Amino acid sequence: MSASDLRVGDDGLARCGWVGDDAEYRRYHDEEWGFPLHGDRALFEKLSLEGFQAGLSWITILRRRPTFRAAFREFDIDAVAAFDETDIARLLADAGIIRNRAKVEATISNARITRELIAGDPGALDRLVWSFAPTARRNRPRGFAELPAVTPEATALSAALKKLGYRFVGPTTMYALMQSAGLVDDHLEGCWRAPESG
């Protein structure tokens, strides 16, 4: 483990080094990242934000999340599924989000697919995503070098979503979703959020 893999904050707690000194990153790390997330709307939001993150840093998305939520009607699946060209134009003019037409259109398309998926079957997106959670616990990573960029489960989740028509759901993006939604817990050994450490 290198010195940068863990960082001790001014509160005396050791955290995964990617947190750095950013207060919002610290809150996200301590309260969200790696915690099990359930619910169709919550997972649709996470799926959407991970898609917007592709090619960017997560802190960029995290800092803009309140604006994303306002722009996408709190990621209400029915509301986003009903977006039209006027909404696309509104979103592409909103400097508070990532103004990428392909990602905006994919989010709307993904909402429509999700609406169909859960119609008459609430919880279907939740069950689909969580069906790919790894069953075997690998050893807790001791450093960043031990964290995979992709896993067989993330690849399988990506394939299942793509088969349904979802976009911006590549295997690397899906592994990031698995980490952030708590399907896997990649807090490093020694991090206060790692169960055996804290």
Side-chain angles (χ1 to χ4, degrees):
M1 179 183 298
S2 77
S4 64
D5 288 344
L6 285 177
R7 173 173 274 195
V8 178
D10 54 15
D11 57 2
L13 297 176
R15 293 178 174 84
C16 302
W18 55 262
V19 174
D21 294 320
D22 188 280
E24 178 58 14
Y25 239 4
R26 178 186 291 187
R27 187 211 57 76
Y28 174 73
H29 169 275
D30 289 358
E31 299 174 12
E32 292 185 57
W33 194 73
F35 288 69
L37 179 69
H38 286 282
D40 293 329
R41 192 217 57 80
L43 286 168
F44 171 68
E45 175 182 343
K46 187 71 77 173
L47 190 74
S48 300
L49 293 176
E50 292 289 354
F52 273 103
Q53 186 270 333
L56 302 169
S57 67
W58 181 245
I59 192 62
T60 300
I61 303 301
L62 197 57
R63 287 178 179 147
R64 296 178 184 211
R65 185 165 62 174
T67 310
F68 268 108
R69 285 175 169 166
F72 284 93
R73 309 292 187 256
E74 301 299 319
F75 290 93
D76 178 273
I77 295 164
D78 289 332
V80 178
F83 281 7
D84 58 17
E85 286 299 325
T86 302
D87 292 294
I88 293 172
R90 172 182 57 81
L91 292 165
L92 293 177
D94 188 341
I97 66 166
I98 305 302
R99 295 178 290 178
N100 178 300
R101 178 176 280 278
K103 292 178 179 182
V104 166
E105 290 178 348
T107 301
I108 297 167
S109 173
N110 290 349
R112 292 172 181 160
I113 293 165
T114 303
R115 181 177 60 186
E116 292 302 313
L117 179 67
I118 67 174
D121 189 15
L125 179 62
D126 185 301
R127 288 190 303 279
L128 173 65
V129 169
W130 277 88
S131 72
F132 291 93
T135 53
R137 174 77 170 109
R138 59 176 164 70
N139 292 332
R140 181 161 301 284
R142 291 174 299 201
F144 294 144
E146 294 181 17
L147 291 177
V150 69
T151 62
E153 294 88 357
T155 301
L157 173 58
S158 171
L161 291 171
K162 286 179 179 178
K163 185 174 181 181
L164 292 171
Y166 284 87
R167 293 160 36 204
F168 285 94
V169 291
T172 302
T173 300
M174 289 304 92
Y175 191 66
L177 178 139
M178 290 177 132
Q179 290 175 305
S180 65
L183 281 77
V184 295
D185 177 0
D186 277 344
H187 286 283
L188 300 181
E189 183 179 295
C191 171
W192 84 275
R193 290 304 323 171
E196 60 268 29
S197 301

